[in-house]
Amino acid sequence: MAQPGLDKRTQTKVEDQSSLKGTLASVFLLGFFLIITWVGVFLLFVNRF
Amino acid sequence: MHIHKFEKIWLIFGVATLLVFLSVIGVSAFYLGNQPPSCLATINPEKVDTTAPFDKPGLNKVEGKEWDYELVFVASAFNYTPGEVEVPLGAKVKVIATTKDVVHGFNAAGTNINMMLEPGYISELVTTFDKAGEFLIVCNEYCGAGHHLMSSMIKVVE
Amino acid sequence: MSSFTEKIKKVDPRDAKLGMAHFYVAFIGLFIGGMAGLLQTLVRSGQYTLPAGIGYYQLLTLHGVVLALVMTTYFIMGFQLVAVSRTAGTLSNKQRTTAWIGFWLMTIGTVMAAVMILLNEASVLYTFYAPLQAHALFYVGLTLVIAGSWLGSAAIIMAYVAWRKQNPGQPSPLLTFMALVNTLMWVVATIGVASTVLFQLLPWSLGIVERVDVAVSRTLFWYFGHPLVYFWLLPAYMAWYVVVPKIIGGKIFSDSLARLSFILFLLFSIPVGFHHQLMEPGIDAAWKFLQVVLTFLVIIPSLMTAFSLFATFETFGRSKGATGLFGWLKELPWGDARFLIPFIGMLSFIPGGAGGIINASNQMNQVVHNTIWVTGHFHLTVATAVILTFFGISYWLIPHLTGRTLTKAMNKLAILQGVLWAIGMTFMSGAMHAAGLLGAPRRSAFSEYGGAAQAAEWIPYQIAQAVGGSILFIAIILVLYIFINLAFFAPKGEEEFPVGEAANLAEKAPMVLENWKLWLGIVVLLIAFAYTIPFIDLIENAPIGSKGYKLW
């Protein structure tokens, strides 16, 4: 169970952000993966007749 | 409804990415003419063999059009007519195809020539054959017991 | 709300029985469909020929119908019914009876369709595209499956309405809300497939009408076909949003945002069917692009979901004292199959979703349309993300319903099952994606295409698919072994039905999210916007219809 003292996510805005930096990094990695795969197939489309 | 600041950043980034994707394919489709095949023309599927241009399957030179050749295919279970065709390298070609019976696919493997053939409809696509080689056409929509034997071959030659 | 859900910890035995009836059929379907899938990959490797006059396409029809239509629908109906019973209270007798009638209708329909497939009277694949014409009883069977699912849906809707009446002004329990959204989406979507089956294919197969309009039938099918994939996905999202946080000992990141994402799925899952018809000749390119734009909107709730899940995991890990950017990953309960199996499912949805965006990207679909890339794609989404999550649910839900427990030994076996699935699917789906980019077609038996050089390049990938398929079949055997253990042999005891709590209980979900007149009104408007004009065009410019063909 979450320890109330450590779960400061909803308390103040500053701590709110610092505690989810791993999440932000993770979703951006996901986003870059989406972009790389999409661009890859788009280039296939452009290079083929 | 409370939305975390990082989630806002992520959603703005994500939505912006999607907008870029849509803009790229939108410009490519509507300004550069790379629309997915959407011919809209209809035909009586029982009279394909006597309806132009399907009465002359194969590569036909044309004059006064934006393309140099028309490459006409007739599909039926389980073959394409013609079963093999040569196309000169660099030719700008309108590929025109239809089916006499059930739904078939029409995909020249390794190219963007990929369209559904549906009874009653004509499928078209304009492209420039700018790579030499042999391109296998496969039926990629299930059409019956011989589906996997249904193929043709485009040879792009210099 | 939370104190209310806490009181009902255990699903009533009568509802448990209803749920288990659905799960028995689902897991029998898994065995039959999985066996068919294994044989298909072996055939396509070129090393194996089917015995006893079984046709490849007969087998493929069985695989698709039994897994994509039957197994999923039964599991989802069963899961949603017990989830509503667990969170909104035991079903009333009337609700339960309605659901039972639905169950039996679906089962009669399933048996009819299966018999027709086994008699080789319906080798039309699970999409049954006209003018290939199956036996009329195949279409009758499908109609009964849908009609039965409507009764199960009615039970869920009735239970929701009853809860709202008893709790005026309160947001419904989150799992109940989500089950309701998925149910409403299902009902609106199935109108399309029911229309083409009842008004086009059935009269045509009976000989009452001679011809069928192929393009209209396909359009009605795909009006249903895309929300169908979200109907599979949303129960997995229910587990990811609500169940997994409780299993790891954390909290739901945001109750309101979870609800909002489900509403967005309801709105944008349906008016997008054209992205399955991008290569079709009869639909105007501008309308195709419009539905492509709407398809991209349905990506947004999945982006929200990704954030919420990572945030749940990180918040939990940090509450355990994790530091650094990714230190929280170490705190997650990797040894718990109830967490690990759905987690593998979540991971597989990343490449699954990436492939989906590519498929939906208008003309880019020309690169992959009807190649085996597509098969690889939906084996990541439905056959990994969704199905692994369903397995993960089963590992606590089956013992919960049968009054047994998931033992340590079974938990280990379940972890092995999940790992095997990941390995097998990496081989199979990976090889499918690669071969698809080279042009290898989906839905095709082994063929050398007259010795064509390109076709020869595909064969090594097909062998890799058979290796992956074999590993996956071993995993299916493990699933079935665990299922039978949990249903009949595991030690008696109490297994928890985990239902998570929101991190911020003070934040009440906005009641506008439960305003169904509003949301269903927007659903209808969006469908009308996306479909009315192109549908009228299809009918007005229709060519002469097609007679039926039986080409197998």
Side-chain angles (χ1 to χ4, degrees), chain B residues 127-143:
Chain B
T127 191
T128 302
F129 286 73
D130 57 9
K131 285 183 193 68
E134 295 190 353
F135 296 91
L136 174 69
I137 296 174
V138 293
C139 176
N140 63 7
E141 183 57 89
Y142 170 63
C143 58

Side-chain angles (χ1 to χ4, degrees), chain A residues 6 9 19-20 22-23 38 48, chain C residues 314 318-319 325 361 437 503:
Chain A
L6 289 167
R9 202 176 43 71
S19 67
L20 285 183
T23 299
W38 191 89
R48 289 177 170 184
Chain C
E314 181 171 12
R318 291 199 186 282
S319 76
L325 198 54
S361 291
L437 289 178

Side-chain angles (χ1 to χ4, degrees), chain C residues 287-298:
Chain C
W287 287 104
K288 286 177 180 171
F289 192 76
L290 177 101
Q291 292 209 8
V292 165
V293 174
L294 290 171
T295 307
F296 272 55
L297 286 173
V298 81

Side-chain angles (χ1 to χ4, degrees), chain C residues 509-526:
Chain C
M511 286 310 288
V512 67
L513 293 172
E514 313 240 1
N515 187 340
W516 302 109
K517 276 183 197 145
L518 173 68
W519 302 121
L520 288 177
I522 298 176
V523 166
V524 171
L525 283 179
L526 280 169

Side-chain angles (χ1 to χ4, degrees), chain C residues 30 388 391 395 413 416-422 424 469-482:
Chain C
L30 175 70
L388 273 190
F391 295 160
Y395 296 153
L413 214 51
L416 176 65
Q417 177 269 313
V419 172
L420 279 180
W421 199 279
S470 305
I471 298 171
L472 285 165
F473 190 71
I474 296 169
I476 286 179
I477 298 293
L478 284 181
V479 175
L480 293 169
Y481 178 75
I482 300 167

Side-chain angles (χ1 to χ4, degrees), chain C residues 190-206:
Chain C
T190 43
I191 292 169
V193 68
S195 304
T196 182
V197 171
L198 270 183
F199 301 125
Q200 289 190 287
L201 304 179
L202 192 54
W204 172 67
S205 65
L206 287 168

Side-chain angles (χ1 to χ4, degrees), chain B residues 3-56:
Chain B
I3 299 182
H4 192 281
K5 188 183 171 198
F6 284 0
E7 181 159 13
K8 285 182 192 154
I9 294 173
W10 162 237
L11 287 178
I12 290 167
F13 172 78
V15 171
T17 304
L18 296 179
L19 282 175
V20 170
F21 288 176
L22 281 174
S23 309
V24 169
I25 56 177
V27 169
S28 166
F30 289 91
Y31 291 96
L32 304 177
N34 296 318
Q35 295 279 18
S38 316
C39 169
L40 303 175
T42 58
I43 185 173
N44 184 333
E46 286 155 19
K47 293 180 181 157
V48 167
D49 288 335
T50 53
T51 309
F54 301 102
D55 52 350
K56 271 174 63 191

Side-chain angles (χ1 to χ4, degrees), chain C residues 347-366:
Chain C
L347 284 187
S348 75
F349 202 65
I350 296 173
I357 298 174
I358 289 164
N359 298 342
S361 291
N362 209 44
Q363 68 272 29
M364 276 166 69
N365 188 250
Q366 284 166 247

